[in-house]
Amino acid sequence: PSHSPHRADPAPLSSSASSCRALSTRRQLYEKPFPVYKQPVEVGSFSLDSERRFFNDARQIRYFVEPPSRPDFNLRDGYKDRFVKRDDSIKEKLDHILRWILANKSKLESRVAAASSSPALGVDVVTWRGHLTKLLTTPYETREGWLLAATLFRGTLYLSEVETEASRRDTENRTERHQEMMYWGYKFEQYLCAEDMKASPDPGGVVNTNEAFCTVVQTKLADHKLLFSGEVDCRDRGPKSPAAPACYIELKTSAEICTPKQRSNFHRFKLLKWWAQSFLPGVPRIVAGFRDPDGLVVGTETIQISQISHLIKNEYNCWKPTVCMNFCCEFLSFVRTVVREDSPRVVHLFSWDPHQDVTYTVHRDSSYCFLPPWYVEGMAS
Ligand code: A3P
Ligand code: MG
Ligand code: MG
């Protein structure tokens, strides 16, 4: 019988400080100078349409429209009669990024220096921005663990998330209230985004979470050349807007802040996630909507990513950007030392649970394999 990805064959190796079998996530170990993180450069983009079909272009990009100073946004409007929800039981793994890479293969390869020792693609790591966000926040995460599958192919490391048993249970047991609140974030986007340069937002339209515009960026974290993709909510449409990714705007919603305790929690927990997500692709600002318990937006605020480290300075024992970046960097180095065999048939499954070390198991020709035959063959030709 094909084994479930949730019951890994060999039990994860126990941590041992003397071997390189495990990686510690203790914050103090990563309180070092900020590693070199090159300004991310957009190398392309792609779109997923209302039926989740891939297009090698920017057709799904949306344009930011400044909200009124007293917005009248009801995030419950349209739930569920004007809501098409993406089927998240379909695991897309890295497929959309791989499709983009194949469609842009010659462009990418022409960027690679003639040096034949370097990876064929000219990058060390290919993954989703969201997977890197999880790595950045790991030293501060106390609730949710993760599983990351790693495969080395033609000198490039591919990282693809595997759903944990706990996450699958959480998804299954979501309350009706929680499911509605997940819609609120997308509804907020609809109030602030227009389909083209001159249009206005259409709050009467359908919210369809299949649709996405994704940027593909290249950058370097210390000596790791990264290529990753992330969904972008909208872009600035002003005549003086800078080039991508600096023109992109991340939209977020959060509960209205009424007490000092709520403000402190917002700084300690929410801003960590918001910072990590946008810092990685070089998105410079967030437009946040604060909502009351009935889903009415009580105000909006622009937050510059570069200001977040100052906003949190007064919090006692708060998260530090340098810890996030150093941990991510050392995780990638750890994976590099562990994964030696270059083969799409081999997966090293890296596993982490809060208050534990990162450990791994090895799987050959298993259901964890995630580089599809069309990609492996497409890269060979
Ligand atoms: P909010 O972040 O405003 O709550 P993103 O902000 O990354 O563009 O995502 C858009 C919306 O998708 C989120 O809006 C939230 O409603 C929903 N969403 C994103 N990630 C989620 C997750 N891990 N679990 C549940 N909902 C999520
Ligand atoms: Mg988004
Ligand atoms: Mg958003």
Side-chain angles (χ1 to χ4, degrees), residues 174 181-183 185-186 189 231 233 250-253 277:
R174 269 184 200 136
M181 286 181 72
M182 285 173 53
Y183 167 82
Y186 297 106
E189 295 176 5
E231 199 244 342
D233 292 335
E250 173 60 42
L251 305 177
K252 287 289 180 199
T253 60
Q277 183 190 27

Side-chain angles (χ1 to χ4, degrees), residues 48-52 60 62 82-87 183 186-187 189-190 205-212 231:
L48 304 171
D49 76 358
S50 59
E51 292 169 56
R52 207 70 183 164
Q60 292 290 348
R62 293 179 299 175
R82 292 184 340 271
F83 180 33
V84 177
K85 193 184 160 293
R86 174 168 79 90
D87 179 356
Y183 167 82
Y186 297 106
K187 184 66 190 176
E189 295 176 5
Q190 191 190 51
V206 170
V207 170
N208 185 329
T209 60
N210 285 302
E211 296 174 5
E231 199 244 342

Side-chain angles (χ1 to χ4, degrees), residues 138-249:
T138 295
Y140 298 104
E141 180 62 50
T142 58
R143 290 197 294 219
E144 288 167 21
W146 47 251
L147 288 170
L148 270 177
T151 289
L152 185 63
F153 175 54
R154 295 180 156 237
T156 297
L157 190 71
Y158 295 80
L159 294 176
S160 179
E161 192 175 29
V162 173
E163 187 176 44
T164 63
E165 191 61 50
S167 156
R168 204 183 54 74
R169 272 198 310 268
D170 288 351
T171 306
E172 222 165 63
N173 299 333
R174 269 184 200 136
T175 62
E176 181 50 44
R177 167 85 177 169
H178 187 183
Q179 291 188 50
E180 179 179 339
M181 286 181 72
M182 285 173 53
Y183 167 82
W184 293 2
Y186 297 106
K187 184 66 190 176
F188 180 63
E189 295 176 5
Q190 191 190 51
Y191 277 113
L192 294 180
C193 295
E195 304 267 311
D196 60 70
M197 288 284 278
K198 292 181 195 98
S200 298
D202 175 22
V206 170
V207 170
N208 185 329
T209 60
N210 285 302
E211 296 174 5
F213 165 76
C214 296
T215 180
V216 183
V217 302
Q218 213 173 297
T219 184
K220 222 175 142 186
L221 172 58
D223 55 356
H224 306 285
K225 279 190 191 158
L226 314 178
L227 179 96
F228 59 85
S229 175
E231 199 244 342
V232 167
D233 292 335
C234 57
R235 63 161 296 158
D236 188 331
R237 63 173 173 184
K240 282 176 276 178
S241 69
C247 60
Y248 294 143
I249 302 169

Side-chain angles (χ1 to χ4, degrees), residues 33-70:
F34 203 85
V36 170
Y37 190 64
K38 263 188 58 195
Q39 187 64 48
V41 172
E42 181 174 78
V43 292
S45 58
F46 60 85
S47 296
L48 304 171
D49 76 358
S50 59
E51 292 169 56
R52 207 70 183 164
R53 287 176 301 209
F54 172 94
F55 292 91
N56 181 30
D57 58 41
R59 66 183 64 191
Q60 292 290 348
I61 199 159
R62 293 179 299 175
Y63 297 86
F64 176 71
V65 179
E66 198 72 50
S69 53
R70 278 276 294 118

Side-chain angles (χ1 to χ4, degrees), residues 86-336:
R86 174 168 79 90
D87 179 356
D88 52 18
S89 70
I90 299 171
K91 299 300 170 203
E92 301 174 325
K93 298 176 272 191
L94 297 185
D95 288 4
H96 297 306
I97 301 177
L98 303 181
R99 217 161 276 156
W100 180 88
I101 291 174
L102 276 191
N104 296 275
K105 188 163 163 270
S106 49
K107 190 167 91 183
L108 279 168
E109 284 166 343
S110 70
R111 296 167 69 101
V112 185
S116 55
S117 61
S118 58
L121 265 184
V123 295
D124 301 312
V125 179
V126 167
T127 192
W128 281 107
R129 178 269 308 274
H131 300 357
L132 294 173
T133 305
K134 285 202 178 174
L135 289 172
L136 260 62
T137 58
T138 295
Y140 298 104
E141 180 62 50
T142 58
R143 290 197 294 219
E144 288 167 21
W146 47 251
L147 288 170
L148 270 177
T151 289
L152 185 63
F153 175 54
R154 295 180 156 237
T156 297
L157 190 71
Y158 295 80
L159 294 176
S160 179
E161 192 175 29
V162 173
E163 187 176 44
T164 63
E165 191 61 50
S167 156
R168 204 183 54 74
R169 272 198 310 268
D170 288 351
T171 306
E172 222 165 63
N173 299 333
R174 269 184 200 136
T175 62
E176 181 50 44
R177 167 85 177 169
H178 187 183
Q179 291 188 50
E180 179 179 339
M181 286 181 72
M182 285 173 53
Y183 167 82
W184 293 2
Y186 297 106
K187 184 66 190 176
F188 180 63
E189 295 176 5
Q190 191 190 51
Y191 277 113
L192 294 180
C193 295
E195 304 267 311
D196 60 70
M197 288 284 278
K198 292 181 195 98
S200 298
D202 175 22
V206 170
V207 170
N208 185 329
T209 60
N210 285 302
E211 296 174 5
F213 165 76
C214 296
T215 180
V216 183
V217 302
Q218 213 173 297
T219 184
K220 222 175 142 186
L221 172 58
D223 55 356
H224 306 285
K225 279 190 191 158
L226 314 178
L227 179 96
F228 59 85
S229 175
E231 199 244 342
V232 167
D233 292 335
C234 57
R235 63 161 296 158
D236 188 331
R237 63 173 173 184
K240 282 176 276 178
S241 69
C247 60
Y248 294 143
I249 302 169
E250 173 60 42
L251 305 177
K252 287 289 180 199
T253 60
S254 196
E256 178 185 9
I257 295 166
C258 303
T259 67
K261 180 75 184 162
Q262 287 169 343
R263 175 162 309 274
S264 175
N265 282 337
F266 174 76
H267 287 159
R268 288 172 168 282
F269 305 109
K270 205 137 243 195
L271 280 187
L272 164 60
K273 303 253 161 112
W274 290 9
W275 171 83
Q277 183 190 27
S278 289
F279 177 77
L280 279 164
V283 171
R285 63 184 158 136
I286 294 172
V287 172
F290 294 92
R291 46 165 167 76
D292 72 11
D294 297 324
L296 300 174
V297 174
V298 296
T300 60
E301 217 172 296
T302 297
I303 300 171
Q304 302 291 337
I305 300 306
S306 60
Q307 291 305 307
I308 290 180
S309 61
H310 305 297
L311 285 176
I312 62 170
K313 279 230 164 83
N314 290 326
E315 298 295 339
Y316 174 72
N317 201 7
C318 200
W319 60 276
K320 294 186 180 77
T322 196
V323 168
C324 302
M325 297 305 282
N326 280 312
F327 172 72
C328 182
C329 188
E330 292 196 24
F331 172 76
L332 296 178
S333 300
F334 175 60
V335 175
R336 275 273 154 202

